[in-house]
Amino acid sequence: MLKTIFTIIGAIAGILSLLYFLFPQIIRWRLRPKIEIKHVMGDLEEVEFGGAKLFTRRKVTLGIQNKCNRPLKLESVTFRRLCRFQKQCLLFRYLQKTHALSNKDWCQCSSVTDLDFVAAGFEQPTEEEKKKIVATFADEGKLKLTPAHNVIPKKRWREFEVPLKLRDAKPHIVELTLSFDNSFEDISPSLRALHRVVNPTSEKTGYSHTLIRNIIVDLCSDEDLEASISKQKEELGGEFRAAYSYFHEPAMFQAQLKSLEIELMHFLSKNYPVSEISAEDLRKTLKENLPEADIVYSSPPNDRYRAISKDEVEGILKVWSTFRNICKEFLDCEQYAILNYLFVRVLIHPALPRLMECTYKYLVLSSHSPLVDLKVNVSKRTTPLPLVLFKFVIDELKILAFGLKTKRSLKREVDHIAESVKQLS
């Protein structure tokens, strides 16, 4: 009898303890904002600097709908552009392996540095706030702004202009982080009572939530997209057709790769004279040419700096220009200032052409889609459907095995290049 009583008491205590830990999660789940996000593309405009045209952008406006039966308080909205190929980019892997990039979750080369603080729907930050925002933006690529009207009524939409100046005629992935603050005054009495039961001494006045969404903004024109699809269909021949969603001109890539190899070998084959300049002379020269700049130095005031010749600078620029064109055409790099810094630091070496070739091949293999293959082969079949499907399955298994083997080999080769560069530095 006593054992039965202890068992019942133990079971009740266990259930109550479980509920004590579950109830806060239930409350948080019930208060989680339910939203819908849509975007609208606006007009084209030219982005200029110093009177020179840099690129053409297209304005993008986000609409956020509150699908809850209560108002939502939106504390902040954070924007960050993501690389479309980051998870499959071996150049990003190489930069991580050489410790050139500290952030393993986001590539700085994909950042958009052109921004607009005067964006519709947001408060204009003070000068002090701007400095903090710009500092965070430079380190993490995150642009955090405060909504001008932070309450979204139930079942209503609120519009915000994307402050990043996105280049036209290309797709973008924008990471959107929404921070909400749910006050107890806006929730049901039953949830407030449940919170008081679980946390009788708590001084919390609400719950905060953070939602992260990736928005795909495709700024490619319909004409370009249709032309690309038509050309892709024309190039797919043979009885079994393997289609790739990443189908950037292989001949164009090979031509640019050859150009990169020629310029790089020409640069590395020359012996450029090396000269030194004292820190004091360097300081005077910089102050004369950049009087308003905040200049810092990597060495002590009495040290000497290596000064490269004009011919060496021109040689580096030729290699850099070809390398940048490859990144621009076949990768998703946007931040050329960071890319140039990394290029000079860990990329200008004899294995650079092979690194770019591995990166391109890996992207092509990673973009293979069996579903696309199935649609293409069924639509262009010249034999009975059962035979097409049978051959499709067999060939897809072969492609899968070949792809996995080749991708592992490409990764090992890139890791070997990174290790050899680390040993030389």
Side-chain angles (χ1 to χ4, degrees):
M1 183 66 179
L2 191 62
K3 185 178 180 181
T4 303
I5 293 173
F6 282 138
T7 302
I8 295 173
I9 293 174
I12 293 173
I15 293 172
L16 291 176
S17 299
L18 180 62
L19 291 176
Y20 181 80
F21 288 104
L22 282 179
F23 277 152
Q25 303 306 319
I26 293 172
I27 297 171
R28 177 170 286 276
W29 177 77
R30 286 286 296 163
L31 293 179
R32 185 176 178 83
K34 298 178 182 62
I35 62 171
E36 182 180 353
I37 302 174
K38 291 185 178 181
H39 68 274
V40 179
M41 289 178 282
D43 299 330
L44 293 171
E45 67 175 34
E46 303 297 338
V47 177
E48 299 181 350
F49 180 77
K53 175 186 170 183
L54 297 180
F55 58 90
T56 304
R57 69 166 285 203
R58 186 184 291 274
K59 287 188 176 182
V60 179
T61 302
L62 290 179
I64 303 176
Q65 183 191 22
N66 175 12
K67 304 185 77 172
C68 300
N69 289 319
R70 66 181 188 279
L72 287 179
K73 187 177 181 182
L74 183 59
E75 290 291 309
S76 65
V77 183
T78 304
F79 300 87
R80 180 166 68 170
R81 185 184 183 276
L82 303 179
C83 177
R84 291 182 288 138
F85 307 129
Q86 182 173 298
K87 293 181 180 179
Q88 292 85 31
C89 183
L90 291 188
L91 179 60
F92 180 57
R93 181 184 179 91
Y94 167 84
L95 293 173
Q96 287 182 320
K97 292 289 182 179
T98 54
H99 305 300
L101 292 177
S102 56
N103 194 326
K104 295 185 177 182
D105 301 319
W106 173 72
C107 180
Q108 288 177 285
C109 299
S110 69
S111 180
V112 175
T113 53
D114 299 281
L115 54 95
D116 191 357
F117 280 118
V118 187
F122 295 103
E123 290 182 356
Q124 180 70 18
T126 63
E127 292 301 320
E128 191 64 30
E129 290 172 338
K130 281 183 181 180
K131 292 179 181 179
K132 294 180 181 179
I133 291 173
V134 169
T136 303
F137 187 59
D139 292 338
E140 305 174 21
K142 294 182 178 181
L143 183 60
K144 184 177 181 179
L145 297 176
T146 303
H149 303 282
N150 61 355
V151 176
I152 307 178
K154 61 181 181 180
K155 308 300 182 181
R156 293 292 184 268
W157 291 84
R158 181 79 74 188
E159 289 190 343
F160 301 96
E161 183 182 336
V162 177
L164 303 177
K165 296 185 179 181
L166 304 176
R167 296 171 187 264
D168 187 43
K170 67 179 295 186
H172 302 267
I173 298 178
V174 178
E175 180 188 74
L176 190 66
T177 304
L178 305 172
S179 299
F180 293 92
D181 183 23
N182 294 307
S183 173
F184 287 144
E185 297 176 357
D186 298 325
I187 65 177
S188 64
S190 59
L191 287 179
R192 287 204 301 268
L194 185 59
H195 171 77
R196 288 304 174 195
V197 170
V198 178
N199 302 292
T201 60
S202 174
E203 296 181 359
K204 286 180 64 174
T205 58
Y207 282 83
S208 59
H209 291 268
T210 300
L211 302 182
I212 299 177
R213 298 285 187 272
N214 288 345
I215 311 298
I216 299 176
V217 182
D218 194 347
L219 300 183
C220 296
S221 65
D222 296 336
E223 293 79 8
D224 294 341
L225 190 61
E226 289 176 4
S228 175
I229 293 173
S230 300
K231 187 171 184 179
Q232 202 174 120
K233 287 181 178 178
E234 291 173 3
E235 292 180 355
L236 295 174
E239 196 59 34
F240 177 80
R241 304 165 179 87
Y244 290 89
S245 58
Y246 185 84
F247 209 82
H248 259 306
E249 306 275 352
M252 183 191 297
F253 175 79
Q254 290 299 329
Q256 295 212 22
L257 187 68
K258 186 66 177 176
S259 176
L260 175 65
E261 188 174 1
I262 291 172
E263 293 294 348
L264 181 64
M265 292 302 106
H266 179 73
F267 171 75
L268 295 177
S269 64
K270 288 196 170 185
N271 293 321
Y272 296 98
V274 179
S275 60
E276 288 188 344
I277 184 173
S278 68
E280 184 61 31
D281 291 339
L282 176 62
R283 187 177 292 105
K284 288 180 181 178
T285 303
L286 292 175
K287 283 296 183 183
E288 289 174 0
N289 292 278
L290 303 166
E292 302 298 327
D294 180 18
I295 301 171
V296 295
Y297 303 91
S298 58
S299 300
N302 59 345
D303 210 340
R304 301 184 69 81
Y305 288 84
R306 179 179 179 269
I308 61 177
S309 65
K310 182 181 178 182
D311 291 340
E312 185 174 0
V313 171
E314 291 177 351
I316 291 176
L317 288 177
K318 287 181 180 179
V319 182
W320 156 249
S321 178
T322 311
F323 168 74
R324 184 193 60 190
N325 288 340
I326 293 177
C327 293
K328 182 179 178 180
E329 294 291 335
F330 302 99
L331 302 180
D332 197 25
C333 302
E334 285 269 358
Q335 182 30 307
Y336 297 129
I338 293 291
L339 189 63
N340 178 263
Y341 167 75
L342 297 172
F343 167 77
V344 175
R345 183 182 169 194
V346 294
L347 285 169
I348 187 163
H349 55 75
L352 177 60
R354 181 55 186 165
L355 172 62
M356 301 310 295
E357 186 176 15
C358 291
T359 301
Y360 178 78
K361 286 182 177 179
Y362 196 93
L363 283 179
V364 172
L365 290 171
S366 299
S367 66
H368 174 251
S369 171
L371 182 59
V372 174
D373 282 357
L374 178 61
K375 290 180 179 179
V376 171
N377 282 276
V378 170
S379 65
K380 290 195 168 189
R381 65 189 174 92
T382 57
T383 54
L385 182 60
L387 290 177
V388 172
L389 295 177
F390 177 75
K391 183 167 178 58
F392 165 78
V393 172
I394 298 300
D395 287 328
E396 283 297 327
L397 290 175
K398 291 180 180 179
I399 290 176
L400 177 62
F402 169 77
L404 291 175
K405 180 181 178 181
T406 306
K407 285 162 74 173
R408 284 197 298 267
S409 175
L410 292 172
K411 279 185 177 180
R412 285 197 298 268
E413 187 170 357
V414 168
D415 292 348
H416 177 72
I417 294 173
E419 194 60 35
S420 63
V421 170
K422 279 168 57 180
Q423 290 176 358
L424 291 175
S425 60

